[in-house]
Amino acid sequence: MKILVLIGSPRKANTYHTVQKIEQYHKQISDCEYEYLFLKDINLGLCKGCFTCIAKGEENCPLKDDRDWIVQKIKTADGVILASPNYAANVPWLMKNYIDRFAYTLHRPKYFNQKFMLLITSGSFMGVKSAMKALSIMVSGGNVINRLSVLNSPQMNDKKQKIQEEKIKKNTEKFAKLMNKKKSSKPTFSYLIWFSAFKAASEINKNSLPADYQYYKNKDYFINCKLNIFQRIVIKISTNFFRFMVRKGLV
Ligand SMILES: Cc1cc2nc3c(=O)[nH]c(=O)nc-3n(C[C@H](O)[C@H](O)[C@H](O)COP(=O)(O)O)c2cc1C
């Protein structure tokens, strides 16, 4: 089993050491291989904010670097750990730049068959929630099978350290267990709404967002799957609702 780890810390320290613990526990349970990608060492240019990837398609991004190589790595791994520290109640700039560079996947999600574990390391509880939320955006259609936040405070006594160690172990066991389950891409209610909103917007903004229009125009849902009658009704009603809202300029 191949696990890809994407680390958003500008240094090889707490976040890396926490993932090493996860790797160690994981290897005690199942046969797995970890590959580490440090954003600090990867050639991923700074997003220029030109909007080209979103409007005209990611293939037209003016930055020619390792972005598509990362996409390939994510797609071919059996599971992905997105790991980042919490800096000032958010992810640090390296991870934020990664999020911005992949912003087009919010319009056209990509990773429906992938499984993710999200890890935030932090000095306290301050800002963990918002950092985790930022990381969640990057999953883009994939299945989050585990969310873990870990404290690295110097004030942690032995008892707290032990509890924390147990937490990392338990989460790793859960991650390992779910990794072995068959990948599922069930259209959840929120994904049906997401699909409807973007499909409606892509029709109305087809000249300004041609890449979205091409992506959605012949799709009943993000991926090819059998939708039940309830799911079809949800898509129909909410697409009409969003058409109305977009036309009226209300969204
Ligand atoms: C610039 C900076 C800002 C930070 N901001 C926060 C914060 O808002 N909340 C918090 O709990 N910890 C904060 N921390 C502590 C880190 O989240 C914590 O030490 C983390 O484990 C560092 O991981 P790293 O060694 O991989 O960089 C901050 C650390 C730095 C360097």
Side-chain angles (χ1 to χ4, degrees):
M1 193 153 281
K2 263 168 51 187
I3 308 295
L4 177 75
V5 185
L6 261 167
I7 296 195
S9 175
R11 58 190 200 145
K12 210 171 172 177
N14 295 348
T15 308
Y16 172 56
H17 295 139
T18 306
V19 183
Q20 281 188 310
K21 284 185 186 172
I22 294 171
E23 177 181 5
Q24 192 192 324
Y25 287 131
H26 199 168
K27 284 187 167 157
Q28 288 170 10
I29 312 165
S30 59
D31 193 16
C32 54
E33 195 186 301
Y34 273 54
E35 181 181 3
Y36 290 82
L37 293 188
F38 292 88
L39 290 179
K40 72 182 178 64
D41 299 330
I42 290 173
N43 176 21
L44 190 69
L46 295 180
C47 174
K48 293 181 182 297
C50 63
F51 211 69
T52 304
C53 63
I54 293 174
K56 295 186 180 158
E58 61 270 29
E59 62 284 5
N60 297 304
C61 173
L63 300 171
K64 301 296 168 222
D65 53 23
D66 290 344
R67 188 202 63 189
D68 291 347
W69 174 77
I70 300 174
V71 172
Q72 250 342 85
K73 286 261 173 208
I74 293 176
K75 280 188 170 171
T76 53
D78 295 302
V80 179
I81 299 179
L82 290 180
S84 174
N86 163 22
Y87 285 2
N90 212 313
V91 290
W93 73 270
L94 275 165
M95 188 52 98
K96 182 63 176 79
N97 182 52
Y98 172 85
I99 293 170
D100 293 348
R101 288 295 306 280
F102 285 88
Y104 65 88
T105 66
L106 295 173
H107 282 239
R108 305 179 296 275
K110 264 199 179 308
Y111 308 127
F112 278 94
N113 289 319
Q114 192 49 280
K115 292 171 174 178
F116 290 87
M117 177 184 202
L118 307 182
L119 168 71
I120 294 290
T121 69
S122 187
S124 69
F125 291 110
M126 198 199 95
V128 173
K129 235 179 162 177
S130 41
M132 187 62 90
K133 199 170 168 196
L135 216 52
S136 304
I137 284 178
M138 271 302 85
V139 172
S140 170
N143 308 290
V144 177
I145 59 174
N146 200 271
R147 280 189 175 84
L148 171 64
S149 58
V150 168
L151 295 189
N152 285 299
S153 163
Q155 284 113 41
M156 297 255 286
N157 58 27
D158 286 355
K159 194 178 164 201
K160 283 191 177 154
Q161 292 275 11
K162 219 174 146 201
I163 293 173
Q164 172 121 295
E165 206 60 37
E166 206 42 47
K167 181 178 170 186
I168 298 173
K169 195 167 177 223
K170 277 214 170 104
N171 276 270
T172 307
E173 283 165 5
K174 196 172 155 200
F175 177 58
K177 197 173 153 196
L178 292 171
M179 277 290 305
N180 289 325
K181 281 203 169 171
K182 207 179 161 291
K183 286 170 188 165
S184 92
S185 302
K186 282 193 188 127
T188 60
F189 186 73
S190 53
Y191 275 125
L192 296 174
I193 301 296
W194 178 355
F195 177 83
S196 314
F198 276 93
K199 189 175 171 71
S202 74
E203 288 165 4
I204 289 153
N205 300 312
K206 78 176 182 191
N207 294 329
S208 54
L209 296 172
D212 281 8
Y213 180 68
Q214 287 304 324
Y215 176 90
Y216 286 95
K217 77 173 178 191
N218 295 321
K219 279 191 170 74
D220 295 326
Y221 181 59
F222 290 121
I223 47 170
N224 229 341
C225 68
K226 216 166 179 245
L227 295 171
N228 63 35
I229 183 84
F230 170 73
Q231 290 162 334
R232 284 178 189 280
I233 291 171
V234 169
I235 288 187
K236 198 161 178 86
I237 293 175
S238 71
T239 307
N240 282 334
F241 169 75
F242 283 111
R243 277 186 191 122
F244 172 80
M245 297 292 275
V246 176
R247 277 205 190 98
K248 293 270 171 206
L250 297 171
V251 284

